[in-house]
Amino acid sequence: MEPKKRVRTSNRVRLLAVVVASSSIVLAACGSSSTAKSSSTSPSGSATSGTITWWASPIAQVGIRQTLINAFEKAYPKIHVNLVSAPTNTGTNRSQVVAQISGGSTTPDVFMGDVIWPAQFGAHGLAVPLSNYLPSSYWAKFAPGLVAGAEYKGKVYGSPLFEDQGFLYYRKDLLAKAHLPVPKTWEQLKQESLTLVHDHLVKYGFVWQGNSYEGLTCDFMEYLTSAGGKVTNAAYTKAYLDSPQAIQAVSFMRSLITSGASPAAVTTMEEPQAMATFDAGDAAFLRNWDYAWANSQTPSDSKVVGKVGVAPLPTFSGHSYPGYSTIGGWNLYINPHSKHIATDLTFIKWMSSVQAQTILGKKYSEIPTVESVRKAIAAQASAPPPEKVAAVTRLIARPAGTPNYPALSTAIYTNINAALNGSTSVKSALASAESQANTALSGGL
Amino acid sequence: MTRSMLENATANETPPPTPDQQVTGHRRRTTRIGWVFSSPALVIVALVTIFPIAFSVVLSLANVTVTGNGFQLAGFTFSNYSEIFHASVWRYALVFTVFYTVVTVAVEVILGTLIGLVLERLTKGRGLMMALLLVPWSMITVISAELWQYIFDGTYGVMQAIFSAIGLGQPQFLGTPTSAIISMMVADIWKTTPFVAIIVVAGLVMLPQEVFEAAAVDGAGSWTTFWRVTLPLLRPTIALAILFRILQAFGIFDLPFVLTGGGPGTATTSLAVLSYRTMFQNLNYGAGNAIAVSASVLVLIGCLLFLKVFRAQVSDA
C-alpha cells in the first residue's frame, strides 16, 4: 500500500514540476517583449539614412511593392525598407493596423491604407497629420479631389499613392456583331445587355459588384450620383437615402436583375467573381476597377484578350455624359509612434515623385495620383486604355469624410443588397438604410 | 500561511499518527504542494483568460474611445448596453444566432448519434471510417468555408450545376436570406457532425456489455434495446456533446465571415460577426464589447439551464 502511494505522489510532483517549468518558459517569453517609448523627433523630412517598415497589401500585382522599394533604395542607398505584406481585404487590413498602432507599436512606420480611412484614422489619432510636415506646394501636384479626400478637419492624413475608379469594360466583338454602340446611358446598357443575351451572343449581360460589402457602396454611389443624389449633407449630420434619386438608382439596379440584363448571381459577386465571369467570356459588360484591364489581357487568366474595350461609366438618360466613377485607391500614412518620421517622410515624398509614379503608371498601369505624370502617360499612344479613359471621367468620392464612415457604408450596402436580392422592397430597404445611416452618423450602432 | 505552519507544528508535536490521520495529512500536504506548483500556470491562465474577459466587461461599461495611445475610458455608463438593446441589428443577430444554434445542434446531435451507432457496429474498417469522418472536423473552418463558397457559387458552383441538371432551376444559394442560412447550416453540419459521432462512439464503447446481454436474455428486440437501454445509458455522453456544440455554435464567427460576410443584407450576421464589425470596422469598442459580453452572458445562462436539466447525466459522464 505505502510504496504504491509514494509512487503516485512522486508522479504527481513530477507532473507539477513539468507544468511549472513549461509555464515559466512561457512567462519568460512573455516578459521579453520590449516596451519602447514613442520618440519625439522633429523631422525635417530630409533624412537619408535608417531602416523603416512599410506595411502594404499587394498592389494588383505582387511584385510592384518590391520594385518600388528597390528603386527607392537605389535613390537613397542608406535607407533600408522592410516590406510587411498586409491583408488584401481592406477591413481585415484596417483592424490589424489599428490593433498595432493603438497598442503603441512603433512599427509599421509607414502604412498603405485605403482612401476611405483618413477621417476615421484622423479622428482617433491613428495617423500623423502629414500637412504638419509637408508644405502646401507638396499637395498641389496631386490630381484634383485626391488631397481633399485625404483631409479631416483641415489636416491631410494620407499622401495619395495610386488612384482607382470604376470603368465600364465591354466586349468590342459582341457589340460589333450586334451593331450596337458603346452605351452612354444606364438604360441603353440594360437594353443592349438584354439584346445580346436574347440573341444568344453571350450568357450574361452586365456583371458588377452586388454582394453585401463595401464594393456595393462603391457601385451604388455611381448610380446615385448620376441620378443627381447625395448620401448625406455636407456636415455629415443627416442622411438622404430615402430620396427620389436613391429610389431611382436602386430601382434601376434591381431592374437589371429582374429583367435578366444582369444575372441573379450578381447579388453575391465581388470584384473577383465579376471579373472572372467577364474574363471567361460569359458577360458582355463589366463594371470594375483599373486592374481589370490587365487581367482581361492576360492570356492565362482570360478568354477575351484583344476583345475588350474600356469606356467611362454611363449616366441616367437626361443627364450629361459621362456618368460618375467612384474613387478608390490607396494612400500612404505614418504611424504616430514611428521613431523615424523624418525617414518616413523621405520615403513618402519619393513615392509621389515622377519616377515612382511613372513606375506605377507605366509599368503596372495603375492610375498615378500626380497630375503631371497622369497627363503625360495618358497622352502616349501606348498608354493602357483605362488611363486614357481616366483623363475624361467624372469622379465621385464616397461619403468618407466622417469617422463613422464604416457604419454608414454598412447601412448602405446591407440594405441595398437586401433590395437587390428581392427579400425586401426598394422603398423599405432605403427607408431602413436612411434610419440606420442617421444612427451611424451620430456614432451609434 | 500562518495557519498551515501551525498545522505543521501540531502535526510535528503529536505522537505517531494513526494510518488514517497519516493519509489525510499527506493528502493535505500534497494539495498544498499542488497549489504552490500550479500557481504560475494558474497565473498565466488568469492572464490569458480572466483578464481579457474582465477587460471586455470594463470596456462594455465605459465611454471608450480608441486612440493612437490605446483605449481611453471616460466614466462608467450603461449606454453601450442600451444602445445595442435598441438596435435592430443586435436583436436580429441574437434571434439568428439562437435559431442557428438550436437547428444546427439538433441536427448534428441526431445525425452524429446515428452515425456513431453505425460505426460502433462496424466489424471491419471502423478505424478507416473514423479517420474519414475526422477529415471534415479537422479541416480549418476558414478553408472549409472557402470550399463551400465555391460549391455554392451562383455562377459556376457545382451545387447549382447539380440542381440545374435535375431540373430544379438555378438557385442562388448565397443570394437570398433563407437559402443562405440553410447553406451555412449545411456547411456547419457537414463539418461538426463527425465531432458528435466520435464522442458517441467513445460513449458506446464504454457501455457495460452485461446490460445488453441481460436485455437479450429478457427477450428485448433491437428497437426496445436501443430506446430502453442504449439511449438512456448514452444520455450523459450526448448531453456533453450538446454542451460543447452549443458553446461553439453560439459563438460562430469564421463560417459566416468567410462564406457570406454576414449577408445577404444582414441575414447571416451572428452576434460574433456583429461584434467584430462594431469593434474593428467602426472602432466602436464600447458597443462591440457590450455585444460580446451580452453573447457570453446569454450562452452562459443557456448552458447553466441545460446543465440543471441534465446535471446527473453530465456528471455521470
Side-chain angles (χ1 to χ4, degrees), chain A residues 20 94 120 124 282 337 417 445, chain B residues 37 66 68 83 156 175 265 281:
Chain A
V20 170
R94 165 173 42 208
Q120 195 180 33
H124 290 278
D282 288 337
H337 304 295
N417 177 263
L445 204 60
Chain B
F37 278 109
V66 62
E83 185 185 336
Y156 301 116
Q281 305 291 325

Side-chain angles (χ1 to χ4, degrees), chain A residues 428-442:
Chain A
S428 70
L430 287 171
S432 94
E434 180 166 301
S435 95
Q436 285 173 24
N438 280 326
T439 313
L441 288 174
S442 62

